[in-house]
Amino acid sequence: MAEEVKLFGMWASPFSRRVELALKLKGIQYEYIEEDLSNKSPLLLKYNPVHKKIPVLVHNGKPIAESLVILQYIDETWKNNPILPQDPYDRAMAHFWAKFVQEKVLRTMSKAYTCKQEEQEQNRNEVFEQLKILEKELNGKDFFGGDTVGYVDIMAFGMAVWYGVYEEVVKVDLIPEEKFPVIANWCRKMNEIDAVNECRPPREKHVEYIRARIQNSKSASKYQPVVLKKPKMAEQVKLFGMWASPYSRRVELALKLKGIQYEYIEEDLSNKSPLLLKYNPVHKKIPVLVHNGKPIVESQVILEYIDETWKNNPILPQHPYDRAMARFWANFIEEKFMRTPWRAYVGTKEEQEQAREEGFELLKMLENELNGKDFFGGETIGYVDIFGFSLAVWHGVVREVFGVDLITENKFPVFLKWSRKFNEIDVVNECRPPVEKHIAYMRARIEAFKSATK
């Protein structure tokens, strides 16, 4: 029986276009379904009920959402023409640079193109600083993937194809060749590839679309973007972290679940150590895992690296689809819960009420996903549970500090059952910050936030 592959997308979306590019590079036959985002189809809402957006890949009836998750699923399911490197460290580096392109470069470029006239110079300079970093990473290579297009190139696809259209519309050149000859050369090479050109939106139609979007943005008067143990002698593992950071604590939890011996280095984030700045010169933040002298940064990237390097006690499921679903729910927790602004807790009563209602809706989705299971990972802790670590451990502190309890027994019995089981595990408790110290830290952060926003 032939494989059925469908892609729900939108012609001007760089997110669905990057998925199309991956499918074409792999030689995968697929049916493309164009979505009207102002009138989304029942099938799209069925296949992506959480975010209700494109792209969605449907493989033999099973939906996978979120472009980054889809790209990894494609590479793990169809082994020909690999997109990601085979070596775990090289793969971690590809994840890091893809995330840098996604969260820094593309968002800042979009902001620079659509901002007010008086803000353009500042945003343009910010883009230049980020592109300098990319220029250095790309130097000496035809593509980020080396001799051929890879994961980072696919993620940066929009930069190669879209920026010329924006330049024509806005009359702002964000990739001048005299400043960035290496990136300009990469753009030319990308645009010479047949599969890339097949994924390029029609030029005139795209120009009109971009003009309309910029006009709508200006009309709205706001920018809307188009997230101590001793090491073994044989292996040296170090973790640079901060005691109250849920991001470094989740990495510690993964290391403990795997039984990996490591040295923990506590960082003072107001006075970062030379080693931290050496190992993470791009973001200059924790956590950083250093394995045999090689640094890996960004907690999501680190977790996948740990699971690929030490095969015992797997964190991610073995089947590509189950793995894709784990990444989806981990991203859901990361983007919806971890990035909640302080104003949700210290704003006006109306703002707090709105935040509470939004929190209830998000928790309902997690409650539904967890129903019938002890853990998100099934019978044992897995990737999603590790991401949910802060929800299980931090919410008691939040309740104590803010006097707000979003997770009550009558509303979320399944979630609270999971939280209790999670908190009964020894290694989870080993990673829990000291409660009183944590409460004092949170209170100090709230006061600092209030002072800064007066």
Side-chain angles (χ1 to χ4, degrees):
M1 182 178 175
E3 286 190 303
E4 183 184 58
V5 181
K6 296 181 179 182
L7 175 63
F8 291 77
M10 185 267 183
W11 69 272
S13 165
F15 304 102
S16 59
R17 288 291 187 171
R18 67 170 57 142
V19 173
E20 283 200 86
L21 178 56
L23 291 169
K24 288 178 183 294
L25 290 170
K26 289 275 189 179
I28 301 164
Q29 291 187 316
Y30 64 97
E31 178 187 354
Y32 176 78
I33 297 99
E34 176 72 17
E35 279 289 332
D36 176 1
L37 299 186
S38 63
N39 184 26
K40 297 171 184 176
S41 72
L43 272 180
L44 175 65
L45 300 178
K46 170 189 171 184
Y47 286 135
N48 191 0
V50 175
H51 296 305
K52 302 178 177 66
K53 63 183 182 181
I54 52 94
V56 175
L57 186 79
V58 182
H59 181 208
N60 293 335
K62 293 180 176 180
I64 305 99
E66 299 289 293
S67 64
L68 274 73
V69 175
I70 296 171
L71 290 179
Q72 291 180 78
Y73 176 79
I74 288 171
D75 204 40
E76 292 169 353
T77 302
W78 293 277
K79 303 293 187 182
N80 64 305
N81 304 331
I83 292 170
L84 278 157
Q86 300 305 297
D87 180 77
Y89 183 78
D90 294 338
R91 193 154 54 245
M93 290 301 95
H95 284 306
F96 169 81
W97 287 111
K99 192 166 182 169
F100 179 78
V101 168
Q102 173 80 359
E103 297 187 356
K104 298 293 184 181
V105 180
L106 294 180
R107 288 182 183 177
T108 310
M109 288 182 81
S110 181
K111 187 176 180 180
Y113 282 128
T114 56
C115 67
K116 297 175 181 177
Q117 189 71 34
E118 59 270 22
E119 298 171 346
Q120 275 191 356
E121 187 63 28
Q122 179 184 344
N123 289 324
R124 192 169 184 238
N125 290 335
E126 190 176 343
V127 172
F128 285 168
E129 289 304 311
Q130 293 170 357
L131 288 178
K132 282 180 189 176
I133 296 170
L134 272 191
E135 179 93 349
K136 184 178 179 181
E137 170 61 19
L138 190 55
N139 195 28
K141 298 183 287 188
D142 286 341
F143 301 99
F144 290 99
D147 295 331
T148 58
V149 173
Y151 186 65
V152 183
D153 302 282
I154 293 170
M155 289 296 297
F157 165 76
M159 189 169 71
V161 173
W162 263 246
Y163 92 93
V165 178
Y166 273 102
E167 184 185 350
E168 179 178 334
V169 174
V170 189
K171 310 301 182 189
V172 175
D173 185 4
L174 291 184
I175 313 181
E177 184 150 10
E178 67 274 12
K179 276 185 174 289
F180 306 109
V182 176
I183 292 177
N185 184 57
W186 169 81
C187 286
R188 281 192 294 271
K189 284 186 174 291
M190 281 289 286
N191 285 308
E192 289 168 1
I193 297 169
D194 290 342
V196 170
N197 285 304
E198 290 171 16
C199 295
R200 184 193 307 277
R203 179 80 178 195
E204 293 306 316
K205 185 180 179 183
H206 200 191
V207 167
E208 290 307 311
Y209 174 80
I210 295 298
R211 280 191 178 130
R213 288 212 68 182
I214 292 172
Q215 191 57 47
N216 288 340
S217 177
K218 288 178 178 177
S219 299
S221 300
K222 63 181 181 180
Y223 162 64
Q224 294 177 323
V226 181
V227 338
L228 297 191
K229 299 178 179 181
K230 295 294 181 183
K232 293 179 182 178
M233 292 301 292
E235 279 194 307
Q236 186 186 63
V237 181
K238 296 181 179 181
L239 175 64
F240 291 77
M242 186 268 184
W243 69 271
S245 165
Y247 302 101
S248 59
R249 289 292 185 169
R250 69 169 59 144
V251 174
E252 282 200 87
L253 178 55
L255 290 168
K256 289 176 182 291
L257 288 168
K258 290 275 189 178
I260 301 165
Q261 291 185 310
Y262 64 98
E263 178 186 355
Y264 176 77
I265 297 99
E266 177 70 18
E267 279 289 331
D268 176 0
L269 299 186
S270 63
N271 184 26
K272 297 170 185 176
S273 72
L275 271 180
L276 176 64
L277 300 178
K278 171 190 171 183
Y279 286 134
N280 191 0
V282 176
H283 297 306
K284 301 179 177 65
K285 63 183 182 181
I286 53 94
V288 177
L289 185 80
V290 182
H291 181 208
N292 293 336
K294 293 180 176 179
I296 304 99
V297 305
E298 297 287 298
S299 64
Q300 290 175 282
V301 175
I302 295 171
L303 289 179
E304 296 229 8
Y305 176 79
I306 288 171
D307 205 38
E308 292 169 352
T309 303
W310 293 276
K311 302 294 186 182
N312 63 304
N313 304 332
I315 293 170
L316 276 158
Q318 299 304 297
H319 192 277
Y321 181 78
D322 295 336
R323 197 154 52 239
M325 290 300 96
R327 288 176 180 134
F328 172 85
W329 285 109
N331 286 344
F332 177 80
I333 290 172
E334 182 78 0
E335 294 177 7
K336 299 298 184 181
F337 288 96
M338 297 301 294
R339 297 179 183 176
T340 302
W342 282 107
R343 195 170 297 281
Y345 297 108
V346 298
T348 64
K349 287 185 178 180
E350 291 77 13
E351 288 172 331
Q352 288 189 19
E353 184 61 31
Q354 182 182 354
R356 189 177 293 113
E357 291 303 317
E358 289 174 1
F360 286 160
E361 290 305 312
L362 296 173
L363 285 167
K364 283 177 188 176
M365 295 179 189
L366 283 184
E367 178 95 349
N368 187 56
E369 171 61 20
L370 192 55
N371 195 25
K373 297 183 288 189
D374 287 341
F375 300 100
F376 288 100
E379 296 178 357
T380 57
I381 289 179
Y383 189 67
V384 184
D385 301 281
I386 293 171
F387 272 80
F389 170 78
S390 56
L391 297 179
V393 173
W394 263 247
H395 84 265
V397 176
V398 170
R399 182 178 61 241
E400 176 72 22
V401 172
F402 295 106
V404 175
D405 191 2
L406 290 181
I407 309 176
T408 57
E409 188 79 40
N410 61 321
K411 280 183 176 288
F412 305 107
V414 176
F415 190 89
L416 279 177
K417 181 184 176 184
W418 166 79
S419 181
R420 283 192 291 269
K421 280 185 172 289
F422 196 72
N423 284 307
E424 289 169 0
I425 298 168
D426 289 341
V427 291
V428 171
N429 285 302
E430 289 173 19
C431 295
R432 183 196 306 277
V435 175
E436 293 306 318
K437 184 180 178 182
H438 199 190
I439 289 172
Y441 172 80
M442 292 280 281
R443 284 181 173 145
R445 288 205 67 187
I446 292 163
E447 288 306 313
F449 178 81
K450 286 180 177 177
S451 299
T453 53
K454 283 182 179 177

